Amino acid sequence: MIEPTFRHKDLLASLLIGILYCLNSPCLIAQQLSWTADDQGYELTENGETRLFYQRATKDKDGQYPRANYIHPLYDLNGDVITEDFPEDHLHHRGIFWTWHQLLVDGKRVADPWISDGIVWEVTRVETSVLSEEMAALDAQINWVVDGEPVVEESLRLHYERVDPELYRLTVEVWLKPLAKKVQIGGSEDPKGYGGFSPRIRLTETTGFFDQNGPVTPQELPVAGGPWMNITQQGPEDPGVVILGEPDRLPSYQGWILRRKNSMQNMAFPGREPITLSEKEPYLHFRNQLLVHQGLQTAEIDLFYRDFIQTEPTTDQALAD
């Protein structure tokens, strides 16, 4: 089991971002965070209002597309659900998820996790914690099971932080340790090559896409964009969700798969050519963060991104059988 632990490289930067943001926003009042478990998963509430639900149990639609280990629903600060599960246009899409079309073991294609075919996500351990009035975390261990045998051990950390009355951030961090011989993952087997971290966010006819350089136009194939993408109700400073990632640290990063309607948004890696998961440390590891906000300026998002990349796991992760 991979135990995620964290440290701040630059505490001063973290303090600075909070000070600068609070200059333009109301001060944060005391929050009450709480985790509640049921037979389906784990719900995080804040002052009695649901913020997110982690799906631990396998869920399907009429026996099709069974899936687990994802986030849905995710709520905005108005209490509205901003993710979709089993959408009619792509029944295999599910909230905030991270997966690939290709899963191979010893050179043989064994499953298509993207469409939940031939695989079971067995969540074997979940630990929740409330770290402070503003922060909470969930740590989980998940086995990817094919034909009754685990082939990958996934370690997951979700970290929630209420930054301001008009903003929270949710970090999703994943490690993948192979349990079988020569385990490979790959994206869709076409020029799009999509796969990886994939939020299925509710879209409207006016949804806008913006990076640090301005508007971004979604296309059929991956588009070049910065390390974050602000998906808003319409304009660059409207309420929305910012997706942050670390493209420079992703193997064979392809770019952004963006869609104006009927789909997910994706920082695609590794593309159509599969990569082999390392059988020793460091295991494949990736992080993404969501900023759920009521309106942010580009300079503010840049500050949050700087803070995001300056917070990383320690290199001496402990392993246990």
Side-chain angles (χ1 to χ4, degrees), residues 56-129:
R56 175 176 184 166
T58 298
K59 185 178 180 181
D60 62 46
K61 187 175 182 64
D62 301 325
Q64 300 296 311
Y65 307 108
R67 76 284 293 276
N69 186 38
Y70 64 99
I71 301 165
H72 176 80
L74 183 71
Y75 291 80
D76 68 12
L77 292 169
N78 294 321
D80 296 324
V81 176
I82 58 175
T83 52
E84 297 177 309
D85 198 12
F86 296 106
E88 289 297 327
D89 51 84
H90 294 84
L91 290 172
H92 50 278
H93 287 179
R94 58 255 196 201
I96 308 299
F97 67 109
W98 44 96
T99 193
W100 295 265
H101 265 296
Q102 301 179 66
L103 177 61
L104 300 91
V105 174
D106 199 18
K108 178 184 177 182
R109 179 80 169 264
V110 296
D112 187 334
W114 187 269
I115 61 172
S116 304
D117 181 35
I119 185 171
V120 174
W121 289 271
E122 184 181 84
V123 182
T124 60
R125 180 187 68 89
V126 176
E127 295 180 4
T128 60
S129 56

Side-chain angles (χ1 to χ4, degrees), residues 290-307:
L290 302 178
L291 304 177
V292 180
H293 64 87
Q294 294 295 93
L296 285 173
Q297 298 177 0
T298 298
E300 292 174 313
I301 300 174
D302 279 336
L303 281 174
F304 282 114
Y305 182 73
R306 190 179 310 163
D307 187 62

